[in-house]
Short mmCIF file of all heavy atoms in Angstrom, two decimals:
data_model
loop_
_atom_site.label_atom_id
_atom_site.label_comp_id
_atom_site.label_asym_id
_atom_site.label_seq_id
_atom_site.Cartn_x
_atom_site.Cartn_y
_atom_site.Cartn_z
N MET A 1 99.53 104.90 97.26
CA MET A 1 98.22 105.03 96.63
C MET A 1 98.35 104.70 95.15
O MET A 1 99.23 105.20 94.48
CB MET A 1 97.68 106.45 96.82
CG MET A 1 96.36 106.66 96.12
SD MET A 1 95.66 108.31 96.34
CE MET A 1 95.17 108.24 98.03
N LYS A 2 97.46 103.88 94.65
CA LYS A 2 97.43 103.53 93.23
C LYS A 2 96.81 104.67 92.45
O LYS A 2 95.95 105.39 92.98
CB LYS A 2 96.69 102.23 93.02
CG LYS A 2 97.36 101.06 93.66
CD LYS A 2 96.56 99.81 93.43
CE LYS A 2 97.22 98.64 94.12
NZ LYS A 2 96.47 97.41 93.93
N ARG A 3 97.19 104.79 91.18
CA ARG A 3 96.68 105.87 90.34
C ARG A 3 96.06 105.30 89.07
O ARG A 3 96.56 104.35 88.49
CB ARG A 3 97.80 106.81 89.93
CG ARG A 3 98.43 107.48 91.10
CD ARG A 3 99.56 108.38 90.65
NE ARG A 3 100.33 108.77 91.81
CZ ARG A 3 101.61 109.00 91.81
NH1 ARG A 3 102.28 108.90 90.69
NH2 ARG A 3 102.24 109.35 92.90
N ILE A 4 94.97 105.94 88.64
CA ILE A 4 94.32 105.58 87.38
C ILE A 4 94.18 106.85 86.58
O ILE A 4 93.70 107.88 87.07
CB ILE A 4 92.92 104.96 87.62
CG1 ILE A 4 93.05 103.67 88.43
CG2 ILE A 4 92.21 104.73 86.30
CD1 ILE A 4 91.72 103.10 88.84
N LEU A 5 94.60 106.80 85.29
CA LEU A 5 94.49 107.93 84.40
C LEU A 5 93.68 107.53 83.18
O LEU A 5 94.00 106.55 82.51
CB LEU A 5 95.86 108.42 83.94
CG LEU A 5 95.89 109.49 82.86
CD1 LEU A 5 95.25 110.78 83.36
CD2 LEU A 5 97.31 109.75 82.39
N PHE A 6 92.61 108.27 82.91
CA PHE A 6 91.84 108.10 81.69
C PHE A 6 92.32 109.19 80.71
O PHE A 6 92.24 110.37 81.02
CB PHE A 6 90.35 108.24 81.96
CG PHE A 6 89.78 107.12 82.77
CD1 PHE A 6 89.62 107.25 84.14
CD2 PHE A 6 89.45 105.93 82.17
CE1 PHE A 6 89.10 106.21 84.88
CE2 PHE A 6 88.93 104.88 82.90
CZ PHE A 6 88.76 105.01 84.26
N LEU A 7 92.84 108.77 79.58
CA LEU A 7 93.42 109.69 78.62
C LEU A 7 92.68 109.58 77.30
O LEU A 7 92.46 108.49 76.79
CB LEU A 7 94.90 109.35 78.42
CG LEU A 7 95.70 110.23 77.48
CD1 LEU A 7 95.79 111.65 78.00
CD2 LEU A 7 97.09 109.64 77.29
N CYS A 8 92.28 110.72 76.74
CA CYS A 8 91.67 110.73 75.41
C CYS A 8 92.19 111.95 74.66
O CYS A 8 92.97 112.73 75.19
CB CYS A 8 90.15 110.69 75.49
SG CYS A 8 89.39 112.19 76.10
N THR A 9 91.74 112.12 73.45
CA THR A 9 92.30 113.20 72.63
C THR A 9 91.91 114.59 73.16
O THR A 9 92.75 115.48 73.19
CB THR A 9 91.86 113.08 71.16
OG1 THR A 9 90.44 113.02 71.10
CG2 THR A 9 92.48 111.87 70.52
N GLY A 10 90.68 114.78 73.57
CA GLY A 10 90.25 116.14 73.95
C GLY A 10 89.89 116.34 75.41
O GLY A 10 89.76 117.45 75.86
N ASN A 11 89.68 115.25 76.15
CA ASN A 11 89.22 115.32 77.54
C ASN A 11 87.97 116.19 77.63
O ASN A 11 87.81 116.98 78.55
CB ASN A 11 90.32 115.87 78.45
CG ASN A 11 90.03 115.59 79.93
OD1 ASN A 11 89.42 114.60 80.26
ND2 ASN A 11 90.47 116.44 80.82
N SER A 12 87.06 115.99 76.68
CA SER A 12 85.85 116.80 76.67
C SER A 12 84.60 116.06 77.09
O SER A 12 83.59 116.67 77.35
CB SER A 12 85.64 117.38 75.26
OG SER A 12 85.47 116.35 74.33
N ALA A 13 84.66 114.72 77.18
CA ALA A 13 83.46 114.00 77.59
C ALA A 13 83.78 112.63 78.16
O ALA A 13 83.61 112.41 79.36
CB ALA A 13 82.50 113.84 76.40
N ARG A 14 84.22 111.70 77.32
CA ARG A 14 84.36 110.31 77.75
C ARG A 14 85.29 110.12 78.92
O ARG A 14 84.96 109.40 79.88
CB ARG A 14 84.80 109.43 76.57
CG ARG A 14 83.75 109.27 75.51
CD ARG A 14 84.33 108.54 74.35
NE ARG A 14 85.43 109.31 73.80
CZ ARG A 14 85.49 109.70 72.53
NH1 ARG A 14 84.54 109.35 71.70
NH2 ARG A 14 86.49 110.42 72.11
N SER A 15 86.48 110.72 78.86
CA SER A 15 87.42 110.50 79.96
C SER A 15 86.93 111.15 81.26
O SER A 15 87.17 110.62 82.34
CB SER A 15 88.82 111.01 79.60
OG SER A 15 88.78 112.39 79.26
N GLN A 16 86.24 112.28 81.15
CA GLN A 16 85.70 112.92 82.36
C GLN A 16 84.60 112.08 82.97
O GLN A 16 84.51 111.95 84.20
CB GLN A 16 85.19 114.31 82.03
CG GLN A 16 86.31 115.26 81.66
CD GLN A 16 85.78 116.60 81.19
OE1 GLN A 16 84.64 116.73 80.78
NE2 GLN A 16 86.64 117.61 81.22
N LEU A 17 83.74 111.49 82.14
CA LEU A 17 82.70 110.61 82.65
C LEU A 17 83.30 109.36 83.29
O LEU A 17 82.88 108.92 84.35
CB LEU A 17 81.74 110.22 81.53
CG LEU A 17 80.88 111.36 80.98
CD1 LEU A 17 80.11 110.89 79.76
CD2 LEU A 17 79.94 111.89 82.04
N ALA A 18 84.31 108.78 82.63
CA ALA A 18 84.97 107.59 83.18
C ALA A 18 85.63 107.93 84.51
O ALA A 18 85.57 107.14 85.46
CB ALA A 18 86.02 107.08 82.19
N GLU A 19 86.24 109.11 84.60
CA GLU A 19 86.87 109.52 85.86
C GLU A 19 85.83 109.62 86.97
O GLU A 19 86.05 109.14 88.08
CB GLU A 19 87.57 110.87 85.68
CG GLU A 19 88.15 111.42 86.96
CD GLU A 19 88.67 112.85 86.84
OE1 GLU A 19 88.59 113.44 85.75
OE2 GLU A 19 89.13 113.37 87.86
N ALA A 20 84.69 110.25 86.67
CA ALA A 20 83.65 110.42 87.70
C ALA A 20 83.11 109.07 88.16
O ALA A 20 82.93 108.85 89.37
CB ALA A 20 82.52 111.26 87.14
N ILE A 21 82.89 108.15 87.23
CA ILE A 21 82.38 106.83 87.60
C ILE A 21 83.42 106.08 88.43
O ILE A 21 83.08 105.46 89.45
CB ILE A 21 82.00 106.05 86.32
CG1 ILE A 21 80.78 106.69 85.67
CG2 ILE A 21 81.72 104.58 86.64
CD1 ILE A 21 80.51 106.20 84.26
N MET A 22 84.67 106.11 87.99
CA MET A 22 85.71 105.39 88.72
C MET A 22 85.96 105.97 90.10
O MET A 22 86.20 105.24 91.05
CB MET A 22 86.99 105.37 87.91
CG MET A 22 88.02 104.41 88.42
SD MET A 22 87.40 102.73 88.31
CE MET A 22 88.43 101.90 89.47
N ARG A 23 85.90 107.30 90.23
CA ARG A 23 86.06 107.92 91.56
C ARG A 23 85.00 107.40 92.52
O ARG A 23 85.28 107.14 93.69
CB ARG A 23 85.95 109.44 91.46
CG ARG A 23 87.18 110.13 91.02
CD ARG A 23 86.94 111.65 90.98
NE ARG A 23 88.05 112.32 90.41
CZ ARG A 23 88.95 113.02 91.10
NH1 ARG A 23 88.82 113.11 92.40
NH2 ARG A 23 89.95 113.60 90.50
N ASP A 24 83.77 107.27 92.00
CA ASP A 24 82.68 106.76 92.82
C ASP A 24 82.93 105.33 93.23
O ASP A 24 82.67 104.93 94.38
CB ASP A 24 81.37 106.89 92.07
CG ASP A 24 80.17 106.54 92.92
OD1 ASP A 24 79.99 107.14 94.00
OD2 ASP A 24 79.42 105.63 92.51
N MET A 25 83.45 104.52 92.30
CA MET A 25 83.67 103.10 92.57
C MET A 25 84.92 102.84 93.42
O MET A 25 84.92 101.93 94.24
CB MET A 25 83.81 102.35 91.23
CG MET A 25 82.55 102.31 90.40
SD MET A 25 82.82 101.60 88.78
CE MET A 25 83.46 100.00 89.16
N ALA A 26 85.95 103.64 93.22
CA ALA A 26 87.27 103.35 93.83
C ALA A 26 87.41 103.86 95.27
O ALA A 26 88.22 103.36 96.03
CB ALA A 26 88.38 103.95 92.99
N GLY A 27 86.64 104.86 95.64
CA GLY A 27 86.77 105.40 96.98
C GLY A 27 88.13 106.05 97.19
O GLY A 27 88.67 106.69 96.30
N ASP A 28 88.72 105.83 98.37
CA ASP A 28 89.99 106.45 98.71
C ASP A 28 91.21 105.61 98.34
O ASP A 28 92.34 106.00 98.62
CB ASP A 28 90.05 106.75 100.22
CG ASP A 28 89.02 107.80 100.61
OD1 ASP A 28 88.68 108.63 99.75
OD2 ASP A 28 88.57 107.79 101.78
N GLU A 29 90.98 104.43 97.76
CA GLU A 29 92.10 103.54 97.44
C GLU A 29 92.91 103.99 96.22
O GLU A 29 94.06 103.62 96.07
CB GLU A 29 91.58 102.12 97.18
CG GLU A 29 91.07 101.43 98.42
CD GLU A 29 90.71 100.01 98.13
OE1 GLU A 29 91.52 99.30 97.49
OE2 GLU A 29 89.62 99.58 98.54
N TYR A 30 92.27 104.78 95.35
CA TYR A 30 92.91 105.18 94.10
C TYR A 30 92.84 106.68 93.91
O TYR A 30 91.88 107.32 94.32
CB TYR A 30 92.23 104.51 92.90
CG TYR A 30 92.38 103.03 92.85
CD1 TYR A 30 91.49 102.19 93.53
CD2 TYR A 30 93.41 102.44 92.12
CE1 TYR A 30 91.65 100.82 93.48
CE2 TYR A 30 93.56 101.07 92.07
CZ TYR A 30 92.67 100.26 92.74
OH TYR A 30 92.82 98.91 92.68
N MET A 31 93.85 107.22 93.25
CA MET A 31 93.82 108.60 92.77
C MET A 31 93.38 108.51 91.31
O MET A 31 94.08 107.92 90.49
CB MET A 31 95.19 109.26 92.87
CG MET A 31 95.21 110.68 92.33
SD MET A 31 96.87 111.39 92.25
CE MET A 31 97.27 111.46 93.97
N VAL A 32 92.22 109.06 90.99
CA VAL A 32 91.66 108.95 89.64
C VAL A 32 91.73 110.32 88.96
O VAL A 32 91.33 111.32 89.54
CB VAL A 32 90.20 108.43 89.70
CG1 VAL A 32 89.67 108.24 88.30
CG2 VAL A 32 90.11 107.14 90.50
N MET A 33 92.22 110.32 87.72
CA MET A 33 92.38 111.57 86.97
C MET A 33 91.99 111.33 85.52
O MET A 33 91.99 110.21 85.04
CB MET A 33 93.84 112.04 87.02
CG MET A 33 94.36 112.30 88.41
SD MET A 33 96.16 112.40 88.45
CE MET A 33 96.59 110.67 88.35
N SER A 34 91.72 112.43 84.81
CA SER A 34 91.50 112.36 83.37
C SER A 34 92.32 113.48 82.73
O SER A 34 92.59 114.51 83.35
CB SER A 34 90.02 112.48 83.01
OG SER A 34 89.52 113.74 83.35
N ALA A 35 92.69 113.25 81.47
CA ALA A 35 93.47 114.24 80.74
C ALA A 35 93.22 114.11 79.27
O ALA A 35 92.71 113.08 78.79
CB ALA A 35 94.96 114.05 81.04
N GLY A 36 93.60 115.13 78.52
CA GLY A 36 93.45 115.11 77.07
C GLY A 36 94.75 115.45 76.39
O GLY A 36 95.62 116.11 76.96
N MET A 37 94.86 115.00 75.16
CA MET A 37 96.07 115.25 74.37
C MET A 37 96.03 116.64 73.74
O MET A 37 97.06 117.26 73.52
CB MET A 37 96.19 114.22 73.25
CG MET A 37 96.24 112.79 73.78
SD MET A 37 97.82 112.32 74.42
CE MET A 37 98.76 112.21 72.95
N ARG A 38 94.82 117.13 73.43
CA ARG A 38 94.66 118.46 72.82
C ARG A 38 93.55 119.21 73.51
O ARG A 38 92.55 118.60 73.90
CB ARG A 38 94.29 118.30 71.33
CG ARG A 38 95.41 117.86 70.49
CD ARG A 38 94.97 117.82 69.02
NE ARG A 38 95.26 116.48 68.54
CZ ARG A 38 94.38 115.59 68.13
NH1 ARG A 38 93.11 115.90 68.10
NH2 ARG A 38 94.75 114.40 67.73
N LEU A 39 93.69 120.51 73.63
CA LEU A 39 92.66 121.35 74.24
C LEU A 39 91.49 121.49 73.28
O LEU A 39 91.67 121.90 72.14
CB LEU A 39 93.23 122.73 74.58
CG LEU A 39 92.29 123.70 75.27
CD1 LEU A 39 91.82 123.12 76.60
CD2 LEU A 39 92.96 125.03 75.47
N LYS A 40 90.29 121.14 73.75
CA LYS A 40 89.09 121.26 72.93
C LYS A 40 88.02 122.04 73.67
O LYS A 40 86.85 121.72 73.57
CB LYS A 40 88.55 119.87 72.57
CG LYS A 40 89.34 119.15 71.53
CD LYS A 40 88.55 118.01 71.00
CE LYS A 40 89.27 117.39 69.84
NZ LYS A 40 88.47 116.43 69.15
N GLY A 41 88.38 123.02 74.39
CA GLY A 41 87.42 123.77 75.17
C GLY A 41 87.67 123.60 76.65
O GLY A 41 88.20 122.58 77.07
N SER A 42 87.30 124.57 77.42
CA SER A 42 87.66 124.54 78.84
C SER A 42 86.48 124.34 79.77
O SER A 42 86.64 124.35 80.97
CB SER A 42 88.39 125.83 79.20
OG SER A 42 87.54 126.93 78.94
N THR A 43 85.27 124.16 79.20
CA THR A 43 84.11 124.02 80.08
C THR A 43 83.36 122.73 79.75
O THR A 43 83.43 122.21 78.67
CB THR A 43 83.14 125.19 79.90
OG1 THR A 43 82.69 125.23 78.55
CG2 THR A 43 83.81 126.51 80.27
N LEU A 44 82.64 122.26 80.75
CA LEU A 44 81.76 121.10 80.57
C LEU A 44 80.41 121.57 80.07
O LEU A 44 79.91 122.60 80.49
CB LEU A 44 81.55 120.38 81.89
CG LEU A 44 82.71 119.60 82.47
CD1 LEU A 44 82.35 119.15 83.88
CD2 LEU A 44 83.07 118.43 81.60
N GLY A 45 79.82 120.81 79.19
CA GLY A 45 78.47 121.13 78.73
C GLY A 45 77.44 120.76 79.78
O GLY A 45 77.70 120.00 80.72
N CYS A 46 76.23 121.27 79.63
CA CYS A 46 75.14 121.01 80.60
C CYS A 46 74.84 119.54 80.73
O CYS A 46 74.60 119.04 81.82
CB CYS A 46 73.90 121.77 80.21
SG CYS A 46 74.08 123.55 80.30
N MET A 47 74.79 118.81 79.60
CA MET A 47 74.49 117.38 79.63
C MET A 47 75.52 116.62 80.43
O MET A 47 75.21 115.79 81.25
CB MET A 47 74.37 116.84 78.22
CG MET A 47 74.12 115.34 78.18
SD MET A 47 72.54 114.87 78.83
CE MET A 47 71.56 115.01 77.35
N LYS A 48 76.80 116.91 80.18
CA LYS A 48 77.87 116.21 80.90
C LYS A 48 77.82 116.51 82.38
O LYS A 48 78.02 115.62 83.21
CB LYS A 48 79.23 116.57 80.33
CG LYS A 48 79.46 115.97 78.94
CD LYS A 48 80.80 116.37 78.40
CE LYS A 48 80.67 117.63 77.62
NZ LYS A 48 81.86 118.07 76.99
N CYS A 49 77.56 117.75 82.74
CA CYS A 49 77.48 118.12 84.17
C CYS A 49 76.35 117.37 84.86
O CYS A 49 76.52 116.92 85.99
CB CYS A 49 77.29 119.61 84.31
SG CYS A 49 78.74 120.58 83.94
N SER A 50 75.24 117.24 84.19
CA SER A 50 74.11 116.55 84.83
C SER A 50 74.41 115.06 85.01
O SER A 50 73.97 114.46 85.97
CB SER A 50 72.82 116.75 84.03
OG SER A 50 72.91 116.13 82.77
N ILE A 51 75.16 114.48 84.08
CA ILE A 51 75.51 113.07 84.19
C ILE A 51 76.54 112.85 85.31
O ILE A 51 76.40 111.95 86.11
CB ILE A 51 76.06 112.51 82.86
CG1 ILE A 51 74.95 112.51 81.82
CG2 ILE A 51 76.65 111.14 83.03
CD1 ILE A 51 75.40 112.23 80.43
N ILE A 52 77.56 113.71 85.36
CA ILE A 52 78.58 113.60 86.39
C ILE A 52 77.97 113.89 87.73
O ILE A 52 78.16 113.20 88.69
CB ILE A 52 79.77 114.54 86.09
CG1 ILE A 52 80.52 114.06 84.87
CG2 ILE A 52 80.72 114.62 87.28
CD1 ILE A 52 81.62 114.97 84.40
#
């Protein structure tokens, strides 16, 4: 299985959105993940949840 990792500094918005979009596009062919270099909070905001 191929893997895709979206990495950003905080993993607080962009990489999570990119992960959600790519998961939808890739189906079962890829393992899609996102991660951050530094912890910037542990929860998703309401706007991000509604987009994902």
Side-chain angles (χ1 to χ4, degrees):
M1 176 178 289
K2 295 179 182 179
R3 298 179 192 148
I4 298 173
L5 173 64
F6 291 97
L7 182 64
C8 70
T9 55
N11 197 31
S12 61
R14 290 174 298 236
S15 58
Q16 292 173 341
L17 292 172
E19 176 188 359
I21 292 167
M22 192 63 200
R23 279 180 188 256
D24 186 56
M25 293 173 58
D28 294 333
E29 291 186 47
Y30 293 87
M31 177 187 295
V32 184
M33 300 164 283
S34 65
M37 302 282 289
R38 287 184 234 116
L39 181 61
K40 286 195 173 190
S42 59
T43 60
L44 289 172
C46 293
M47 177 67 88
K48 290 179 268 184
C49 287
S50 66
I51 293 170
I52 292 174

